[in-house]
Amino acid sequence: MVREGFQIEVETIDAQVGEMATLARGMLRDGLQSLLDLDREAANVVVSRADELAQLDEDIETNVLSLLALQAPVAGDLRRMGAALKLITYLNRIGRYGYDIARMTQGWTEGLDHVARPVYLKEMASKVEAMLDLVLAAFRDHAAPDASPLVELEDDVDALRYSVWRECLTYMAQDTRHIEPSAHYMMVARYLERCGDNVCKMAEKLHYVATGERLLLP
Amino acid sequence: MSTTTGSSDGATAPGARRPPTAAIHSTEPLPLQPEEVAIHIQDLQFYYDQDAQALWDIDLECPRHRITALIGPSGCGKSTLLRCLNRMNELIDGTRYEGHIFLEGTDLYGTEVDPVALRRHVGMVFQKPNPFPKSVYENVAYGLRLHQKLTKKELDERVQWALEKAHLWDEVKDRLDDAATGLSGGQQQRLCIARALAVEPKVLLMDEPCSALDPVATQKIEDLMLELKKDVTIVIVTHSMSQAARVSDRTAFLYKGKLIEAGPTRQIFEAPREDLTEQYITGRFG
Ligand SMILES: Nc1ncnc2c1ncn2[C@@H]1O[C@H](COP(=O)(O)OP(=O)(O)OP(=O)(O)O)[C@@H](O)[C@H]1O
Ligand SMILES: [Mg+2]
């Protein structure tokens, strides 16, 4: 007795989670780019996508809850649906960090320039994106994400955050006009580091879905 | 772990890299402790005749005062295994077994065990309610008279006690002398449970006890089981995955006469270890 309707509903939810992941990842990338370019137009676009993110979060939650109530999934199906509820929370956070960075761009003092090209932030973001891609590929393949490259990337992100922090301290000590942009950089570095953590949490959930065993990343 | 400081607002110092090892928390269920085990089936083989083996290499433990559910596709041997537990299969000519079944440490198939006395300790309830064609009262009193010498007053008390235990007393106390066959299906099933309980068995075997009942009657039997397990060890065969998940503490999955997997019900339904189990409980079989 293969439950066809049930299978279709699971696939719909999977597709929605994939869609939300693409959106969140894009908001983070575009949000940061808007700040690097001090491009208000681009920031406005990111900010305008927050409603879509919230809507997907709500739709997926509703769909998962009704599937749980009506179909009472078990085993791998149950774990995947449980994970979907968690994944959308992490994805929502990641998208919201992109939104927050875009808001910084919008609020950036007119005429104020970057202190220096914030290369570390760009590098941090590309590592977070690489982590996210690794985890999303595992989600698509119904596989457990490979932990060791993730942990390595996350360590890099943490180390870069420290570099940003140290660099910003020197900027701020040099010139009080550097304080505003530096404070923003430090905040963005903090957001990106949080995004890395969220991706690791996603990896732990997907590991449980795929294997039935709990993984705790260091 | 000690190097993962600075997660809030101090940044992690550079070079303080964590070892890239992840901890895996196994969800492997803890084995039952020997003192929790009421029924221990050891390396059981069962044959209906020389070349009709129905059970292979069954090793299973059922914890005391808990509900163990046997699940699996039709013909996999659930009823056969259940009937091994009270030696009912012996009533069929030509059957043969190998291995051991211990009930509270006593080998059920030991030479000193009398199968009739055994069935007093191991009661059974069947798929179709099967009350005797007698009064409600007699259905419960019958087994008591068989096993014990009781005065009329003692007998009345025990009948009432068993009917109360089976959550049936209030519904039948004014019609104890009526024919049992006049009761509803759900009432008949609870009467059969009362009949089994009257002799205070250690174990209650139930073979699809709700499959002939509507959802309300099913609910009553399930509530009853949860209460009864305070006093008896229950083994239930069910085709309803949701029933197994709702009522049982442990679940054993049988397939083609073999025990594929057994464990805490939560684990079996959330993270089964065997692919066959997963396919069966998610309805993706064959
Ligand atoms: N009295 C019997 N004589 C010979 N073979 C039998 C007898 N009873 C059962 N069998 C066989 O033993 C196997 C297991 O049957 P059993 O009744 O234990 O299965 P089950 O899991 O209870 O199935 P169901 O869910 O349909 O009740 C089947 O192949 C069946 O044909
Ligand atoms: Mg059967």
Side-chain angles (χ1 to χ4, degrees):
Chain A
M1 163 202 57
V2 180
R3 297 189 289 171
E4 227 173 89
F6 171 77
Q7 203 48 46
I8 291 167
E9 282 175 56
V10 170
E11 280 163 21
T12 304
I13 290 167
D14 275 357
Q16 285 179 307
V17 173
E19 191 187 335
M20 188 171 171
T22 307
L23 178 61
R25 187 187 184 288
M27 285 175 74
L28 184 68
R29 188 195 49 226
D30 298 348
L32 182 71
Q33 198 58 47
S34 79
L35 187 80
L36 297 178
D37 301 341
L38 297 179
D39 180 345
R40 274 165 215 271
E41 287 294 309
N44 295 343
V45 174
V46 174
V47 168
S48 73
R49 299 176 84 180
D51 288 344
E52 200 185 327
L53 188 73
Q55 191 62 50
L56 267 169
D57 183 74
E58 200 178 303
D59 289 350
I60 296 168
E61 182 182 339
T62 304
N63 289 346
V64 171
L65 290 180
S66 78
L67 188 121
L68 292 176
L70 302 177
Q71 308 270 13
V74 292
D77 297 329
L78 175 65
R79 300 199 300 274
R80 195 163 177 85
M81 290 303 106
L85 285 178
K86 301 286 281 189
L87 293 188
I88 59 175
T89 305
Y90 299 130
L91 288 171
N92 194 24
R93 299 249 166 87
I94 292 171
R96 290 292 302 190
Y97 281 127
Y99 167 91
D100 290 340
I101 298 171
R103 297 277 296 160
M104 261 180 218
T105 310
Q106 288 179 327
W108 193 275
T109 302
E110 199 76 55
L112 184 69
D113 246 339
H114 279 301
V115 178
R117 190 93 188 126
V119 281
Y120 286 152
L121 293 183
K122 180 92 184 152
E123 199 182 334
M124 277 182 88
S126 63
K127 289 196 188 270
V128 170
E129 282 167 38
M131 291 170 73
L132 197 51
D133 289 342
L134 227 147
V135 167
L136 294 176
F139 177 73
R140 268 194 306 276
D141 300 344
H142 292 243
D146 191 356
S148 67
L150 263 183
V151 172
E152 216 162 286
L153 282 163
E154 215 228 344
D155 276 345
D156 291 345
V157 169
D158 282 351
L160 282 164
R161 182 183 171 219
Y162 181 77
S163 303
V164 171
W165 181 69
R166 200 182 35 194
E167 198 184 352
C168 287
L169 285 183
T170 56
Y171 293 150
M172 291 193 286
Q174 273 167 17
D175 189 332
T176 51
R177 280 170 304 175
H178 290 164
I179 289 178
E180 184 185 327
S182 297
H184 285 314
Y185 302 154
M186 289 164 90
M187 207 126 65
V188 171
R190 164 80 178 142
Y191 292 168
L192 291 169
E193 180 254 326
R194 295 303 307 148
C195 287
D197 279 358
N198 280 299
V199 178
C200 286
K201 289 286 161 213
M202 291 171 68
E204 290 175 359
K205 297 301 160 204
L206 290 174
H207 184 93
Y208 184 60
V209 174
T211 67
E213 293 198 314
R214 295 285 183 189
L215 173 78
L216 197 65
L217 290 173
Chain B
M1 284 293 173
S2 59
T3 56
T4 59
T5 48
S7 64
S8 59
D9 266 302
T12 305
R17 293 181 81 93
R18 294 162 298 179
T21 50
I24 292 187
H25 288 216
S26 175
T27 48
E28 187 83 16
L30 293 172
L32 286 172
Q33 294 301 308
E35 64 273 14
E36 307 173 66
V37 174
I39 302 169
H40 185 177
I41 303 169
Q42 221 173 37
D43 201 18
L44 180 73
Q45 324 284 330
F46 182 84
Y47 306 81
Y48 276 106
D49 65 46
Q50 210 47 45
D51 33 43
Q53 185 162 1
L55 297 173
W56 280 263
D57 312 323
I58 307 286
D59 280 291
L60 179 66
E61 294 176 325
C62 305
R64 186 177 308 110
H65 297 177
R66 296 281 181 274
I67 299 174
T68 300
L70 304 180
I71 62 169
S74 191
C76 70
K78 304 177 295 295
S79 299
T80 303
L81 180 57
L82 204 65
R83 287 194 303 258
C84 283
L85 299 179
N86 66 352
R87 291 179 59 167
M88 252 181 60
N89 287 323
E90 282 174 29
L91 305 177
I92 305 167
D93 268 351
T95 57
R96 186 167 69 80
Y97 79 94
E98 290 159 18
H100 299 280
I101 300 176
F102 296 99
L103 172 59
E104 300 295 358
T106 304
D107 192 339
L108 291 189
Y109 288 87
T111 45
E112 74 283 8
V113 173
D114 165 17
V116 177
L118 168 70
R119 282 176 214 129
R120 192 197 138 189
H121 293 297
V122 186
M124 187 151 179
V125 174
F126 299 85
Q127 174 173 4
K128 237 178 122 262
N130 58 347
F132 306 133
K134 291 177 191 277
S135 69
V136 170
Y137 182 95
E138 275 308 312
N139 261 277
V140 182
Y142 179 80
L144 283 167
R145 285 210 196 88
L146 208 66
H147 290 291
Q148 288 162 356
K149 287 253 165 296
L150 297 172
T151 65
K152 170 76 175 120
K153 183 165 171 291
E154 285 169 331
L155 195 60
D156 287 352
E157 281 168 4
R158 283 293 285 283
V159 168
Q160 177 170 348
W161 173 86
L163 288 168
E164 279 172 350
K165 277 270 166 198
H167 293 182
L168 189 59
W169 175 251
D170 288 340
E171 291 162 61
V172 300
K173 62 173 187 275
D174 301 322
R175 47 201 282 210
L176 291 175
D177 295 325
D178 291 5
T181 45
L183 299 177
S184 75
Q187 288 171 332
Q188 288 186 22
Q189 196 60 306
R190 278 178 284 142
L191 180 64
C192 293
I193 293 173
R195 185 175 67 190
L197 292 175
V199 295
E200 296 183 274
K202 292 192 176 80
V203 177
L204 188 60
L205 308 175
M206 306 176 100
D207 196 346
E208 300 180 51
C210 302
S211 64
L213 305 182
D214 70 25
V216 175
T218 297
Q219 176 74 53
K220 284 189 180 155
I221 303 273
E222 289 182 2
D223 290 347
L224 177 58
M225 288 171 66
L226 294 175
E227 204 176 301
L228 290 180
K229 74 173 183 178
K230 291 177 199 141
D231 305 312
V232 290
T233 300
I234 297 177
V235 185
I236 178 178
V237 168
T238 176
H239 272 126
S240 159
M241 292 303 105
S242 56
Q243 179 169 65
R246 272 195 305 273
V247 303
S248 73
D249 301 287
R250 288 180 82 80
T251 297
F253 171 58
L254 294 170
Y255 182 66
K256 292 189 175 166
K258 297 194 169 108
L259 179 70
I260 304 301
E261 179 170 4
T265 295
R266 219 203 77 169
Q267 176 249 318
I268 296 290
F269 283 93
E270 188 175 327
R273 276 161 292 159
E274 301 295 331
D275 285 345
L276 270 175
T277 317
E278 169 121 11
Q279 284 172 30
Y280 181 69
I281 64 174
T282 57
R284 292 192 176 87
F285 226 61

